[in-house]
């Protein structure tokens, strides 16, 4: 985890491509084509893995979503029943609405928390070493198990947990609050806990690349700190916020483990609905839901990219 | 933000917020570490009912939890496999993207898409694919591939960042001195990017070691550690769960610290060499 890991800066594909090759004298042309072959060989493993473990599986899901099934097996066929059942059921729509609600709430919270954290690190911590250390402090939990991080809320939120004890001790409530664990509240809390880093990192990266003289100029022109923030820094941080948003929204939309664990099975999400169908071996139904989910996620991502040009960051 | 060197109220406000955020990140984790030392009669929540190592002992008795040792070993091996593959494949792809080649844009967007596609989709797709092809899914084949779709894009993005700020004049100097392209790579490029490569390895290992959703449908008969822990959450109601959580988190922390220390040593050594 060197400085590179903390920046998601990336050039466009081939951004620094070998321009000299174009103007090279004839003797070097052969060298250029050999290097071209080298490029293909170097890119081949990545292409192969993504082809086998990303493209083929998605194609499989699309194909299977048109298959038939009974209680024991899946039957190759071309039927639309899986989609009809999924789209025709009010449960599906409610589940989607609930998942979108989670996505919206978690997005809003992670955006505010992530921005404030990144803003503090980028503009208020002066030494580069301290900046790096504090950024790592935020990063380390991301590299530990999500499930354990969820479990760790039990002693805190449970019926006899720390929070309830504290609330009773202070006298705010007389009886332990039941809604703390196994509720929508717990789901959102855990998601914010798990996913905020995905907002902090890209926003921090964009903020670090803002030319400090622009901020100085704003102040010299008489802008207050707040005006500088809202008129200069936030607009310049938009690409980072957009990348973070894409991460957070797609993670929440596909999540099932947090919803299952933190709601105690009382709330629904699209991922959880799919996981349940999978455990009942209703693969074609799960596949149809997967296709709908993928399309939904792609629409959201396309909308974000339309709103904010993130290509400068890519 | 202030040029006069004094810290204004905004600093204290944001600083306080940052401290709260860090507490929010680490607070819950530290409670389960504490509670894993519960006495033999202690429960899942405070108060502590005495202090003991009872639950850690319990962890190593086979009947208490499922197959903790076996699943840990599998996760460890899988993590190393994913780490090695992620480092090698991202490095190669990173080198490839330094030049223009046909299909580069498509491959780049494919890698980005790999980050956006929900994990459960990859899990379902890979699991179904193996099933239809008649190959039984296993942690070392299907789960290995499913995890790579998550670690490789991260590795690639880090390599982009590295090569983006890589000074090409070092390579040119090596070539001018008569180094072959392999010598240039192994003696000049590789040592410079080594710390970042170690970072990629850390990402690969920890993301694999903790991965749940992508492994769920692809692990086959034998569980990895996260799957085992998840299974435990439904039927274990003693602090043995916390003991396991404490141990694996400690293991993750040790690896992260070890890697960071290695990177620091490498950098310090390089700084000394360039200074001297």
């Amino acid at each position: 985890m060197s400085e590179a890991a903390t920046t998601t800066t990336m050039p466009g594909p081939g951004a620094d491509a070998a321009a000299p090759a174009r103007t090279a004298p004839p003797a070097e042309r052969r060298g250029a084509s050999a290097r071209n072959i080298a490029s293909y060989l170097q890119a081949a493993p990545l292409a192969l893995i993504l082809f086998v473990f990303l493209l083929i599986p998605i194609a499989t899901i699309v194909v299977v979503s048109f298959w038939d099934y009974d209680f024991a097996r899946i039957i190759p066929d071309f039927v639309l029943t899986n989609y009809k059942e999924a789209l025709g059921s009010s449960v599906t729509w409610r589940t989607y609405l609930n998942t979108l609600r989670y996505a919206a709430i978690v997005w809003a919270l992670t955006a505010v928390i992530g921005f404030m954290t990144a803003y503090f690190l980028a503009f208020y911590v002066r030494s580069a070493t301290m900046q790096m250390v504090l950024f790592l402090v935020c990063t380390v939990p991301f590299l530990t198990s999500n499930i354990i991080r969820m479990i760790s809320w039990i002693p805190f939120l449970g019926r006899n947990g720390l929070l309830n004890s504290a609330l009773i001790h202070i006298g705010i409530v007389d009886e332990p609050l039941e809604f703390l664990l196994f509720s929508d509240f717990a789901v959102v809390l855990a998601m914010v806990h798990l996913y905020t880093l995905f907002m902090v990192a890209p926003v921090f990266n964009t903020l670090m690349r803002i030319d400090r003289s622009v901020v100085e100029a704003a102040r010299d022109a008489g802008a207050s700190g707040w005006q500088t923030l809202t008129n200069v820094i936030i607009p310049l941080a938009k690409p980072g916020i957009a990348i973070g948003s894409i991460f957070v929204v797609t993670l929440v939309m596909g999540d099932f483990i947090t919803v299952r664990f933190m709601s105690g099975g009382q709330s629904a999400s699209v991922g959880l609905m799919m996981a349940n169908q999978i455990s009942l071996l209703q693969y074609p139904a799960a596949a149809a839901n997967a296709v709908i989910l993928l399309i939904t996620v792609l629409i959201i991502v396309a909308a974000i990219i339309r709103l904010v040009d993130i290509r400068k960051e890519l | 933000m202030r040029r006069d060197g004094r810290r204004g109220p905004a600093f204290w406000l944001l600083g306080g917020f940052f401290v709260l955020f860090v507490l929010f990140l680490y607070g819950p984790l530290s409670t389960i570490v504490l509670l894993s030392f519960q006495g033999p009669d202690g429960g899942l929540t405070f108060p502590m009912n005495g202090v003991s190592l009872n639950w850690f002992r319990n962890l190593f008795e086979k009947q208490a939890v499922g197959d903790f040792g076996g699943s840990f070993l599998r996760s460890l091996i899988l993590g190393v496999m994913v780490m090695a593959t992620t480092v090698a494949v991202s490095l190669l792809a990173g080198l490839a993207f330094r030049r223009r080649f046909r299909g580069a844009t498509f491959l780049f967007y494919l890698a980005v898409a790999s980050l956006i596609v929900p994990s459960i989709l990859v899990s379902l797709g890979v699991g179904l694919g193996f099933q239809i092809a008649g190959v039984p899914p296993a942690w070392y084949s299907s789960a290995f591939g499913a995890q790579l779709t998550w670690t490789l894009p991260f590795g690639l993005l880090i390599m982009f960042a590295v090569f983006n700020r890589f000074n090409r004049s070092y390579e040119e100097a090596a070539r001018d001195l008569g180094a072959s392209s392999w010598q240039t790579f192994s003696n000049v490029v590789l040592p410079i990017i080594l710390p970042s490569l170690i970072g990629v390895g850390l990402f690969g290992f920890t993301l694999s070691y903790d991965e749940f959703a992508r492994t769920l449908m692809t692990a086959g008969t034998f569980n990895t550690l996260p799957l085992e822990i998840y299974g435990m959450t439904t039927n274990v109601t003693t602090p043995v769960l916390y003991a396991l959580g404490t141990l694996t988190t400690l293991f993750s922390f040790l690896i992260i610290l070890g890697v960071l220390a290695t990177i620091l040593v490498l950098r310090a050594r390089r700084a000394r060499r360039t200074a001297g």
Side-chain angles (χ1 to χ4, degrees):
Chain A
M1 186 110 63
S2 68
E3 78 275 23
T6 63
T7 54
T8 44
T9 329
M10 30 179 177
D16 57 350
R22 245 175 284 137
T23 51
E28 278 183 26
R29 284 261 166 79
R30 224 171 338 154
S33 87
R35 263 182 276 148
N36 222 342
I37 294 171
S39 278
Y40 286 116
L41 288 178
Q42 286 164 340
L46 177 71
L48 190 72
I49 292 172
L50 290 180
F51 180 73
V52 174
F53 289 102
L54 185 71
L55 284 185
I56 291 185
I58 291 176
T60 310
I61 289 178
V62 173
V63 170
V64 171
S65 69
F66 292 105
W67 285 13
D68 203 356
Y69 64 98
D70 59 25
F71 60 91
R73 64 210 166 104
I74 52 177
I75 306 149
D77 202 342
F78 187 84
V79 293
L80 293 173
T81 39
N82 301 313
Y83 288 100
K84 278 187 196 143
E85 276 171 16
L87 295 173
S89 141
S90 63
V91 176
T92 312
W93 290 96
R94 270 205 305 274
T95 308
Y96 264 89
L97 268 181
N98 198 41
T99 314
L100 286 170
R101 193 173 55 109
Y102 282 145
I105 299 173
V106 174
W107 172 77
L109 289 170
T110 52
V112 171
I113 299 172
F115 183 85
M116 284 176 73
T117 308
Y119 179 60
F120 173 74
L121 284 179
F123 284 94
Y124 285 88
V125 179
R126 284 172 190 160
S127 93
T129 315
M130 202 57 197
Q131 250 171 358
M132 203 42 64
V133 168
L134 291 181
F135 183 78
L136 284 174
V137 165
C138 296
T139 314
V140 166
F142 165 71
L143 299 175
T144 65
S145 165
N146 277 6
I147 295 189
I148 290 167
R149 290 174 70 196
M150 274 183 251
I151 292 172
S152 66
W153 282 107
I154 297 175
F156 206 77
L157 295 180
R159 201 171 182 284
N160 303 311
L162 284 180
L163 195 56
N164 265 327
S165 313
L167 288 177
I168 292 174
H169 188 76
I170 303 171
I172 295 179
V173 294
D174 298 327
E175 292 174 16
L177 298 172
E178 300 285 349
F179 72 87
L180 290 178
L181 192 60
F182 303 138
S183 63
D184 281 348
F185 168 78
V187 173
V188 169
L189 184 75
M191 283 178 170
V192 171
H193 191 223
L194 294 176
Y195 301 146
T196 300
L197 180 84
F198 287 93
M199 191 65 87
V200 175
V203 175
F204 177 62
N205 182 41
T206 349
L207 290 180
M208 289 298 282
R209 297 202 302 178
I210 291 178
D211 191 343
R212 292 302 187 268
S213 55
V214 177
V215 179
E216 296 275 312
R219 205 175 307 108
D220 289 346
S224 69
W226 180 253
Q227 282 173 322
T228 313
L229 176 67
T230 52
N231 292 319
V232 179
I233 296 175
I234 291 181
L236 287 173
K238 268 185 187 169
I241 298 172
I243 292 177
S245 307
I246 291 174
F247 266 118
V248 170
V249 170
T250 55
L251 282 166
V252 174
M253 287 305 291
D255 185 282
F256 67 98
I257 176 74
T258 317
V259 178
R260 180 187 279 171
F261 190 83
M262 298 306 288
S263 80
Q266 294 178 43
S267 299
S269 78
V270 183
L272 189 54
M273 180 166 66
M274 282 172 59
N276 290 337
Q277 286 165 334
I278 290 169
S279 62
L280 294 170
L281 304 181
Q282 300 172 342
Y283 295 126
N289 267 317
V291 172
I292 300 171
L293 173 65
L294 186 60
I295 292 171
T296 313
V297 166
L298 290 178
I299 290 174
I300 297 175
V301 171
I304 294 175
I305 293 176
R306 262 195 95 91
L307 282 175
V308 183
D309 184 10
I310 60 169
R311 265 173 307 181
K312 267 176 287 169
E313 292 289 297
L314 291 179
Chain B
M1 287 294 280
R2 288 161 68 111
R3 270 175 295 185
D4 53 13
R6 272 183 300 123
R7 301 204 187 274
F11 169 83
W12 297 107
L13 210 68
L14 285 164
F17 180 82
F18 183 80
V19 171
L20 282 181
F21 178 66
V22 171
L23 278 179
F24 171 63
L25 281 183
Y26 288 87
L29 214 54
S30 45
T31 57
I32 70 159
V33 173
L34 270 178
L35 284 169
S36 60
F37 293 98
Q38 273 277 26
D41 303 320
L44 282 176
T45 49
F46 285 104
M48 296 284 287
N49 223 325
V51 176
S52 77
L53 290 173
N54 182 53
W55 303 108
F56 289 96
R57 264 197 306 277
N58 213 317
L59 198 57
F60 292 98
E61 294 161 7
K62 196 120 193 170
Q63 71 281 9
V65 286
D67 182 14
F68 164 62
S71 56
F72 172 71
L73 197 64
R74 279 187 287 276
S75 275
L76 196 62
I77 297 172
L78 182 58
V80 172
M81 282 165 64
V82 170
M83 175 185 79
T85 314
T86 305
V87 170
V89 173
S90 327
L91 172 61
L92 283 174
L95 289 170
F97 275 109
R98 296 182 80 193
R99 292 179 297 256
R100 220 176 278 280
F101 64 97
R102 240 199 308 174
T105 314
F106 175 73
L107 186 59
F108 172 73
Y109 282 115
L110 191 61
V112 172
S114 197
L115 282 179
I116 291 170
V117 173
S119 317
I120 189 170
L121 243 120
V122 176
S123 202
L124 175 67
V126 173
L128 272 177
F130 269 65
Q131 216 172 308
I132 292 170
V135 185
W139 58 271
Y140 50 81
S141 57
S142 44
F144 171 61
Q147 292 188 347
L148 285 177
T149 62
W150 181 235
T151 59
L152 283 179
F154 275 112
L156 188 66
L157 294 187
I158 296 175
M159 291 323 295
F160 276 161
V162 171
F163 284 126
N164 201 21
R165 56 171 86 174
F166 188 85
N167 190 344
R168 276 172 186 270
S169 50
Y170 291 122
E171 280 168 286
E172 277 154 27
R175 257 196 298 276
D176 288 348
L177 290 169
S180 68
S181 25
W182 171 252
Q183 282 173 322
T184 311
F185 174 73
S186 61
N187 293 329
V188 178
V189 179
L190 199 57
I192 294 178
I193 63 171
L194 189 61
S196 310
L197 275 185
I198 296 175
V200 172
L202 174 69
F203 259 77
F205 180 82
T206 54
L207 291 182
S208 159
Y209 180 73
D210 299 323
E211 180 59 49
F212 177 80
R214 279 166 208 262
T215 334
L216 183 66
M217 293 271 315
T218 55
T221 324
F222 296 104
N223 277 349
T224 59
L225 191 58
L227 294 179
E228 197 70 30
I229 295 175
Y230 180 69
M232 280 176 68
T233 60
T234 52
N235 52 33
V236 176
T237 51
T238 59
V240 75
L241 195 59
Y242 297 155
L244 182 52
T246 301
L247 276 190
T248 60
T249 308
L250 185 70
F251 178 75
S252 296
F253 273 34
L254 284 179
I255 288 197
I256 296 165
L257 285 179
V259 168
L260 291 178
T262 313
I263 292 174
L264 281 181
V265 168
L266 280 175
R267 276 190 170 182
R269 200 183 291 170
R270 189 199 300 166
R272 220 178 312 137
R273 222 179 290 157
T274 43

XYZ file of all heavy atoms in Angstrom, chain B residues 92-132:
313
model
N 1.302 -7.226 -15.679
C 1.377 -7.436 -17.125
C 0.416 -6.504 -17.855
O 0.785 -5.841 -18.820
C 1.046 -8.900 -17.454
C 2.167 -9.901 -17.185
C 1.671 -11.322 -17.402
C 3.359 -9.615 -18.085
N -0.831 -6.450 -17.367
C -1.826 -5.605 -18.033
C -1.426 -4.141 -17.923
O -1.574 -3.371 -18.872
C -3.203 -5.838 -17.427
N -0.891 -3.745 -16.752
C -0.429 -2.371 -16.573
C 0.642 -2.025 -17.599
O 0.635 -0.940 -18.196
N 1.570 -2.958 -17.842
C 2.616 -2.748 -18.849
C 2.008 -2.639 -20.234
O 2.390 -1.793 -21.037
C 3.626 -3.901 -18.805
C 4.542 -3.960 -17.584
C 5.309 -5.269 -17.556
C 5.493 -2.774 -17.576
N 1.011 -3.513 -20.510
C 0.381 -3.495 -21.830
C -0.274 -2.144 -22.093
O -0.139 -1.579 -23.179
C -0.662 -4.616 -21.929
N -0.945 -1.595 -21.077
C -1.691 -0.348 -21.267
C -0.778 0.865 -21.410
O -1.244 1.969 -21.665
C -2.660 -0.122 -20.105
C -3.982 -0.834 -20.287
C -4.304 -1.933 -19.516
C -4.882 -0.395 -21.244
C -5.501 -2.591 -19.678
C -6.091 -1.045 -21.416
C -6.399 -2.148 -20.637
N 0.529 0.689 -21.230
C 1.423 1.828 -21.431
C 1.536 2.157 -22.912
O 2.004 3.219 -23.282
C 2.816 1.513 -20.875
C 2.815 1.290 -19.382
C 4.205 1.044 -18.894
N 4.950 2.292 -18.750
C 6.258 2.345 -18.583
N 6.960 1.239 -18.571
N 6.869 3.499 -18.431
N 1.182 1.191 -23.743
C 1.182 1.448 -25.185
C -0.235 1.325 -25.705
O -1.081 0.711 -25.078
C 2.078 0.439 -25.889
C 3.535 0.605 -25.581
C 4.337 -0.465 -26.307
N 3.979 -1.788 -25.841
C 4.748 -2.516 -25.018
N 5.869 -2.030 -24.578
N 4.374 -3.700 -24.633
N -0.451 1.928 -26.878
C -1.767 1.801 -27.487
C -1.873 0.432 -28.129
O -0.914 -0.031 -28.740
C -1.915 2.873 -28.562
C -3.265 3.516 -28.612
C -3.253 4.629 -29.638
N -2.691 5.862 -29.101
C -3.373 6.699 -28.342
N -4.610 6.442 -28.014
N -2.815 7.806 -27.887
N -2.951 -0.265 -27.932
C -3.155 -1.499 -28.693
C -4.631 -1.659 -28.959
O -5.469 -1.072 -28.255
C -2.571 -2.720 -27.963
C -3.230 -3.050 -26.645
C -4.218 -4.015 -26.568
C -2.832 -2.404 -25.477
C -4.806 -4.328 -25.351
C -3.418 -2.718 -24.263
C -4.409 -3.675 -24.196
N -4.929 -2.410 -30.004
C -6.331 -2.531 -30.377
C -7.115 -3.288 -29.306
O -6.633 -4.286 -28.784
C -6.464 -3.227 -31.723
C -7.160 -2.244 -32.657
C -7.776 -2.761 -33.829
N -6.911 -3.599 -34.635
C -7.389 -4.242 -35.682
N -8.649 -4.106 -35.980
N -6.606 -4.992 -36.411
N -8.276 -2.809 -28.955
C -9.066 -3.458 -27.917
C -8.755 -2.934 -26.528
O -9.361 -3.369 -25.552
N -7.806 -1.995 -26.438
C -7.420 -1.485 -25.121
C -8.609 -0.839 -24.411
O -8.855 -1.095 -23.229
C -6.279 -0.489 -25.258
N -9.358 -0.018 -25.164
C -10.486 0.682 -24.548
C -11.532 -0.311 -24.059
O -12.040 -0.198 -22.941
C -11.130 1.645 -25.569
O -10.079 2.358 -26.209
C -12.076 2.594 -24.885
N -11.805 -1.320 -24.892
C -12.802 -2.325 -24.505
C -12.360 -3.056 -23.242
O -13.135 -3.211 -22.297
C -13.013 -3.318 -25.650
C -13.938 -4.445 -25.293
C -15.302 -4.221 -25.183
C -13.442 -5.713 -25.043
C -16.167 -5.257 -24.839
C -14.287 -6.752 -24.694
C -15.653 -6.515 -24.591
N -11.095 -3.468 -23.220
C -10.591 -4.210 -22.064
C -10.657 -3.348 -20.806
O -11.017 -3.819 -19.723
C -9.151 -4.668 -22.317
C -8.543 -5.583 -21.264
C -9.370 -6.852 -21.113
C -7.101 -5.937 -21.619
N -10.326 -2.058 -20.980
C -10.372 -1.141 -19.849
C -11.795 -1.041 -19.287
O -12.013 -1.163 -18.087
C -9.875 0.234 -20.282
C -10.065 1.298 -19.246
C -9.266 1.319 -18.116
C -11.038 2.271 -19.388
C -9.440 2.284 -17.147
C -11.214 3.243 -18.426
C -10.419 3.248 -17.300
N -12.774 -0.856 -20.175
C -14.155 -0.749 -19.699
C -14.665 -2.065 -19.124
O -15.456 -2.084 -18.183
C -15.081 -0.243 -20.819
C -14.956 1.248 -21.009
C -14.460 1.792 -22.184
C -15.290 2.109 -19.972
C -14.315 3.159 -22.342
C -15.150 3.478 -20.113
C -14.662 3.999 -21.300
O -14.515 5.350 -21.425
N -14.158 -3.177 -19.672
C -14.548 -4.480 -19.132
C -14.070 -4.599 -17.678
O -14.804 -5.059 -16.787
C -13.929 -5.592 -19.988
C -14.438 -7.002 -19.739
C -15.923 -7.079 -20.019
C -13.676 -8.003 -20.613
N -12.837 -4.148 -17.445
C -12.288 -4.211 -16.083
C -13.091 -3.317 -15.146
O -13.396 -3.693 -14.009
C -10.821 -3.803 -16.088
N -13.465 -2.116 -15.622
C -14.267 -1.218 -14.787
C -15.642 -1.835 -14.525
O -16.154 -1.795 -13.399
C -14.404 0.176 -15.447
C -15.398 1.031 -14.689
C -13.049 0.859 -15.489
N -16.218 -2.453 -15.562
C -17.529 -3.094 -15.391
C -17.459 -4.185 -14.334
O -18.406 -4.413 -13.582
C -17.991 -3.683 -16.723
N -16.317 -4.838 -14.263
C -16.138 -5.909 -13.295
C -16.301 -5.404 -11.859
O -16.700 -6.150 -10.965
C -14.744 -6.516 -13.483
O -14.660 -7.758 -12.874
N -15.996 -4.110 -11.657
C -16.158 -3.514 -10.329
C -17.616 -3.199 -10.037
O -18.043 -3.156 -8.890
C -15.366 -2.209 -10.229
C -13.870 -2.273 -10.007
C -13.314 -0.863 -9.976
C -13.555 -2.988 -8.716
N -18.376 -2.911 -11.117
C -19.737 -2.398 -10.946
C -20.756 -3.529 -10.857
O -21.761 -3.419 -10.164
C -20.077 -1.448 -12.118
C -19.225 -0.174 -11.997
C -21.538 -1.083 -12.129
C -19.303 0.699 -13.206
N -20.487 -4.640 -11.553
C -21.439 -5.758 -11.535
C -21.564 -6.290 -10.101
O -20.564 -6.601 -9.471
C -20.955 -6.884 -12.474
C -21.830 -8.105 -12.328
C -20.941 -6.403 -13.905
N -22.796 -6.357 -9.559
C -22.965 -6.813 -8.177
C -22.354 -8.199 -7.939
O -22.443 -9.072 -8.804
C -24.484 -6.850 -8.004
C -24.997 -5.857 -8.972
C -24.061 -5.910 -10.139
N -21.738 -8.357 -6.765
C -21.033 -9.608 -6.449
C -21.927 -10.822 -6.602
O -21.497 -11.868 -7.091
C -20.534 -9.585 -5.011
O -19.981 -8.359 -4.700
N -23.190 -10.692 -6.176
C -24.056 -11.872 -6.178
C -24.311 -12.346 -7.605
O -24.498 -13.526 -7.859
C -25.383 -11.585 -5.432
C -26.156 -12.884 -5.247
C -26.191 -10.534 -6.100
C -27.330 -12.798 -4.335
N -24.243 -11.400 -8.561
C -24.399 -11.770 -9.965
C -23.236 -12.625 -10.438
O -23.422 -13.640 -11.102
C -24.467 -10.489 -10.807
C -25.754 -10.256 -11.550
C -26.376 -8.975 -11.111
C -25.477 -10.253 -13.021
N -22.025 -12.176 -10.105
C -20.839 -12.943 -10.491
C -20.901 -14.326 -9.858
O -20.651 -15.347 -10.495
C -19.564 -12.198 -10.055
C -18.329 -13.029 -10.357
C -19.475 -10.850 -10.732
N -21.286 -14.338 -8.577
C -21.370 -15.585 -7.840
C -22.348 -16.549 -8.513
O -22.022 -17.702 -8.798
C -21.840 -15.267 -6.415
O -21.493 -16.276 -5.531
N -23.535 -16.042 -8.806
C -24.567 -16.864 -9.442
C -24.123 -17.321 -10.827
O -24.246 -18.499 -11.172
C -25.880 -16.066 -9.539
C -27.040 -16.726 -10.278
C -27.546 -17.931 -9.522
C -28.182 -15.727 -10.485
N -23.579 -16.393 -11.605
C -23.187 -16.704 -12.976
C -22.088 -17.749 -13.039
O -22.187 -18.722 -13.798
N -21.050 -17.559 -12.226
C -19.942 -18.518 -12.242
C -20.428 -19.878 -11.734
O -20.128 -20.919 -12.327
C -18.761 -17.999 -11.396
C -17.684 -19.060 -11.266
C -18.173 -16.739 -12.012
N -21.218 -19.860 -10.651
C -21.737 -21.110 -10.105
C -22.577 -21.857 -11.122
O -22.394 -23.053 -11.356
N -23.487 -21.129 -11.788
C -24.352 -21.746 -12.803
C -23.538 -22.268 -13.977
O -23.762 -23.375 -14.454
C -25.369 -20.719 -13.320
C -26.686 -20.586 -12.576
C -27.514 -19.484 -13.204
C -27.444 -21.901 -12.610
N -22.575 -21.441 -14.417
C -21.749 -21.826 -15.553
C -21.038 -23.146 -15.300
O -21.047 -24.039 -16.143
N -20.429 -23.261 -14.117
C -19.717 -24.492 -13.776
C -20.687 -25.668 -13.739
O -20.391 -26.751 -14.229
C -18.990 -24.349 -12.430
C -17.580 -23.842 -12.577
C -17.345 -22.571 -13.057
C -16.495 -24.643 -12.247
C -16.054 -22.089 -13.205
C -15.191 -24.175 -12.390
C -14.978 -22.901 -12.864
N -21.858 -25.414 -13.151
C -22.840 -26.480 -13.014
C -23.288 -26.986 -14.376
O -23.349 -28.182 -14.611
C -24.039 -25.913 -12.256
C -24.707 -26.899 -11.320
C -25.746 -26.174 -10.494
O -25.458 -25.154 -9.877
N -26.951 -26.671 -10.503
N -23.589 -26.031 -15.286
C -24.074 -26.418 -16.605
C -22.971 -27.128 -17.390
O -23.224 -28.092 -18.113
C -24.589 -25.173 -17.363
C -25.854 -24.645 -16.667
C -24.874 -25.494 -18.817
C -26.311 -23.309 -17.162
